[in-house]
Amino acid sequence: MITTLIRKRALPLLVLASALALDIGVAMSMSATYDEERHLDYGYRTLFFHPDRLSILDDSKMPISALNAIPGAAARILENRDAAPRLVSLLRGFRVARLATVLATLALGFFVYLWAYDLYGSRSALASLLLVVLSPNISAHGTLVTTDLYFALSVIVSLYYFRRYLLGPTLRRACLSALTLALAQLTKPFAIYLYGVAGCILLPFVLRKLRPTGGTLLTRRTITIYTGLVLLFYLVVLNVGFSFDRPFTPLGEYRFQSVSFIRLQTLPVLRSFRVPLPYPYLQGLDMVKRNEQDGSTFGNIYLLGQLGNHLDPSFRGFKSYYAVALFFKEPIAIQILFVLGLVWVWKNRSLSEFFFGEGLLLLAAAILLVWLSFFSRAQIGIRHILPFFAIDVIIAGAAFVGLNAMSPLSKSFLCLLVLWLGVSVASYYPHMIPYMNEWVYRRKLAYKILADSNLDWGQNRRLVENFLKTNPDVITDPTAPVSGRILVRADVLVGVTETTPKQMLWLRCCHEPVAHVGYAHLLFVVRASDLADNSICKQ
């Protein structure tokens, strides 16, 4: 009895406490990344009821960032009252602003545990919780002032309560599901896809009757009520989140920038329609669409040595981008456990059980991957599919079902996988953004596979400054061929951030780094004789 209680409560709490310590270590180690300041600024404006989008870089910023801005807002209030100057200085630091995201990461772990517990039981739930805590991509982006982790959390939470509604369609569960779906819309513009996921699941109930195992029967009447609640919460939550900023503005008065929204605006039947949504929300969807089309807010797209011009409208992205990124950035041990989990699901689930469990999760993951792979040009990092990493560790928990009854060989194999995962992640800690699995055995050559926020997102600034203090002879990011010791950012080396990608061709094609600083900065040694003999350098 006592042992069971410890396993069910104390062990998960211990894992979460360990996650908190590990994530704080990651958050404290990184310098401010490129997007954090803009997210934090938008959070401040939202807190003070000014969620307007002031520049094109505000396109995907969302009200959820107000959580990160709370410490800074408190600092402003204290400063205006000339109180606690040391506390003001502490609260203004961006590392304190990251604490809200770290707490959201713990919440993600908690809901991963709940999902796995409902599907597979306590042991598998504990295993899934441990896997999500050790997931380097969750840890990397769950410690920043951005919205990627919030988006992942909202996907897992909203699907959890949607499933509970499916299994028992009471009014209370319908309200909880509608509320969490609406709250998800405050995390990322693409969160609107969750309504599509819910629609795909509900459609069979409209066409035919299906009874979930252990649940009650959904009817067209209950679905109609649920749809009404979803619409109601959608409108209310968005208006509250965006401070009731100009709702019911006629569609014709919006200043759209994307071709798609401008065309919609010109339709006579819609031009005078008063949109019941806050102005910045629809404005943001339009800006995201426009910036995705013209590439004005991101750099060149890089994959496996190939560079796509973000300003070229004919370049439609790499269809294999996220598949390749997953292969190299997801720990191999988790990949194996995910496959084992799928095998268990295939062998043990009925169609109905699958539909209301893993099917719901896999559908959400599949839509996310397919859409961003085939219909998005903004392929700038695996962080955009962060919900996938939470979903796959839930399903990986199935590999631990019936652990006590397994053979010693099977138990040893699972333990070795978890140990492998821990050692792999620890070997990078606390540098989680550039994590690559063991398929990249020469880590200083990771730039040949991926770049951008997969590797170099500005997180190394303090590390580089310290390195240059002790190595004053090192030249950083030269704009022309030069001899000596040269330190180059990965994004500069491969051409992600350069308007003239061939600028570093002389270094990239003819030399290999001898070392790295924080994995994202590469150190080269170039001799004067190498420049004289190199035809590329002479061009």
Side-chain angles (χ1 to χ4, degrees), residues 168-278:
T170 63
L171 181 60
R172 179 177 178 275
R173 290 185 175 185
C175 289
L176 272 174
S177 176
L179 175 61
T180 52
L181 283 170
L183 289 173
Q185 308 312 307
L186 302 179
T187 64
K188 261 190 183 295
F190 192 68
I192 199 168
Y193 100 104
L194 288 168
Y195 290 115
V197 174
C200 291
I201 295 295
L202 288 174
L203 185 60
F205 289 97
V206 177
L207 301 177
R208 54 176 295 194
K209 295 182 178 181
L210 290 175
R211 182 184 295 275
T213 301
T216 56
L217 184 64
L218 273 174
T219 64
R220 291 183 180 180
R221 178 176 177 275
T222 56
I223 291 176
T224 301
I225 294 173
Y226 177 74
T227 303
L229 288 171
V230 165
L231 180 60
L232 175 64
F233 277 98
Y234 175 71
L235 295 175
V236 172
V237 169
L238 280 177
N239 276 288
V240 171
F242 284 93
S243 307
F244 292 94
D245 189 341
R246 291 166 287 172
F248 298 103
T249 298
L251 190 66
E253 295 182 13
Y254 276 81
R255 297 181 180 179
F256 289 138
Q257 301 173 17
S258 69
V259 175
S260 303
F261 277 82
I262 291 174
R263 287 176 180 172
L264 189 67
Q265 190 178 37
T266 56
L267 295 175
V269 69
L270 294 178
R271 186 168 180 80
S272 59
F273 175 70
R274 292 187 174 273
V275 183
L277 298 169

Side-chain angles (χ1 to χ4, degrees), residues 151 190 193 318-327 338 361-376 379 381-382 384-389 391-392:
F151 176 48
F190 192 68
Y193 100 104
F318 298 108
K319 308 309 178 188
S320 61
Y321 182 90
Y322 290 104
V324 172
L326 280 170
F327 182 77
F338 177 63
L361 292 170
L362 291 173
L363 176 64
I367 292 177
L368 182 67
L369 283 173
V370 170
W371 184 269
L372 295 182
S373 296
F374 291 91
F375 304 102
S376 173
Q379 296 170 333
I382 203 167
H384 285 176
I385 60 167
L386 211 59
F388 179 88
F389 296 106
I391 290 171
D392 77 345

Side-chain angles (χ1 to χ4, degrees), residues 34 297-302 307-308 310-311 380 451-453 456-458 477 488-504 508:
Y34 298 134
T297 57
F298 52 89
N300 295 317
I301 311 302
Y302 179 81
L307 199 65
H310 67 117
L311 299 177
I380 56 178
D452 213 306
S453 61
D456 173 16
W457 209 16
D477 297 337
V488 184
R489 283 180 48 212
D491 283 357
V492 173
L493 181 65
V494 303
V496 168
T497 60
E498 300 302 308
T499 54
T500 55
K502 292 185 178 181
Q503 175 179 307
M504 301 300 293
R508 187 170 67 248

Side-chain angles (χ1 to χ4, degrees), residues 71-85:
R76 290 185 184 183
I77 295 173
L78 291 173
E79 185 178 38
N80 291 337
R81 297 180 179 180
D82 294 323

Side-chain angles (χ1 to χ4, degrees), residues 149-165:
L149 190 282
Y150 292 123
F151 176 48
L153 173 61
S154 70
V155 169
I156 298 303
V157 173
S158 60
L159 293 180
Y160 176 78
Y161 284 108
F162 180 59
R163 177 177 183 266
R164 286 178 61 85
Y165 166 72

Side-chain angles (χ1 to χ4, degrees), residues 18-33 36 94-95 98-99 102 105 133-145 425-426 428-435 459-460 462-463:
S18 301
L20 177 62
L22 292 171
D23 289 342
I24 288 177
V26 174
M28 294 297 291
S29 71
M30 289 188 288
S31 300
T33 57
E36 286 185 280
F94 69 89
R95 289 183 177 87
R98 289 171 172 171
L99 182 59
V102 170
T105 304
V133 167
L134 293 176
S135 173
N137 298 291
I138 295 290
S139 183
H141 298 286
T143 51
L144 300 174
V145 185
V425 174
Y428 273 88
Y429 187 86
H431 309 292
M432 293 292 97
I433 285 180
Y435 174 87
Q459 75 278 2
N460 276 354
R462 187 172 55 175
L463 277 177

